[in-house]
Amino acid sequence: MADLRDEIVNKSFFQFLNKGYGACSLKDLEAATGLTKGAFYYYFRNKEEILKAGIEKYLSVSSEMSEEEFLKIDSLREYILVLVDRKERNAERWQELFEFFIIEVAFFQLILEVENLFPVFRHSIDKLSRLRLGRWEFMILKAKQTGEIKAELDTSVLARNLMSVSTSMVNIDLSTENMRIAFSDMRMQFEQYYLLIKK
């Protein structure tokens, strides 16, 4: 029984991430899972409940760098490497849990779409974004002070630009084969950016 509930959540969440919540009807979800409306209503009262179960499942294995870990990082270059590795490990955990590749930016877009249904999740994403932006700014300022990167660069603009590199994955197909390629591409983009800003 629990396996069928999980299957509904996984396959429905895939549809929500790919098409958007509003674009997915219950009929679409029935077709994606091969189940009838009756099977859905045995486990969930409506589409909103399925979405909430998917979001909670996603968040259950989501992992953010602790303050202690962050403060041990010595350079902007090291921060970039640690960050990408962590993003890839998170993607692997989500893939094991849902049985398909999930990129964080697709999840964030879904949360923005459904913010009226679940304002608490939107609040969490906003808080996380502010934390991440602050960390980028901290590492950039540190890199300027140590002479790692050019001092004349605008800290705030650079932080936003570097933070947005991972959004380049937004158009990646959510399949296992593309996961390695996507993270390899992200590393390459960060490397090119770093070469432009280093002293």
Side-chain angles (χ1 to χ4, degrees), residues 56-96:
E56 288 172 345
K57 187 173 180 178
Y58 174 97
L59 293 174
S60 72
V61 295
S62 193
S63 167
E64 195 64 23
M65 190 185 303
S66 72
E67 194 67 14
E68 185 182 2
E69 287 174 283
F70 173 70
L71 292 173
K72 285 179 181 173
I73 297 172
D74 292 324
S75 67
L76 179 61
R77 182 169 180 73
E78 183 187 352
Y79 182 60
I80 290 169
L81 295 172
V82 168
L83 204 63
V84 178
D85 285 346
R86 188 173 201 91
K87 284 183 181 294
E88 189 166 15
R89 283 197 308 276
N90 274 339
E92 287 167 355
R93 279 196 287 271
W94 295 322
Q95 184 189 348
E96 285 173 23

Side-chain angles (χ1 to χ4, degrees), residues 13 16 21 47-55 110 114 118:
F13 205 55
F16 296 147
Y21 178 75
K47 192 173 80 161
E48 187 178 317
E49 276 193 359
I50 302 170
L51 174 65
K52 187 178 183 202
I55 293 171
L110 180 61
V114 299
F118 304 111

Side-chain angles (χ1 to χ4, degrees), residues 129-188:
S129 295
R130 286 192 300 273
L131 170 72
R132 289 178 176 179
L133 183 59
R135 285 181 169 180
W136 276 114
E137 289 175 344
F138 179 89
M139 290 307 303
I140 289 164
L141 285 170
K142 186 176 176 179
K144 284 182 181 182
Q145 289 166 357
T146 61
E148 181 187 0
I149 64 171
K150 298 168 186 172
E152 65 272 16
L153 296 167
D154 184 294
T155 300
S156 182
V157 171
L158 182 56
R160 282 177 167 73
N161 286 341
L162 286 169
M163 192 170 161
S164 71
V165 168
S166 58
T167 63
S168 65
M169 297 173 76
V170 72
N171 295 317
I172 297 293
D173 180 31
L174 305 183
S175 66
T176 312
E177 306 82 55
N178 286 327
M179 186 172 79
R180 301 283 173 239
I181 296 167
F183 280 102
S184 174
D185 184 59
M186 186 191 287
R187 283 184 176 87
M188 186 175 64

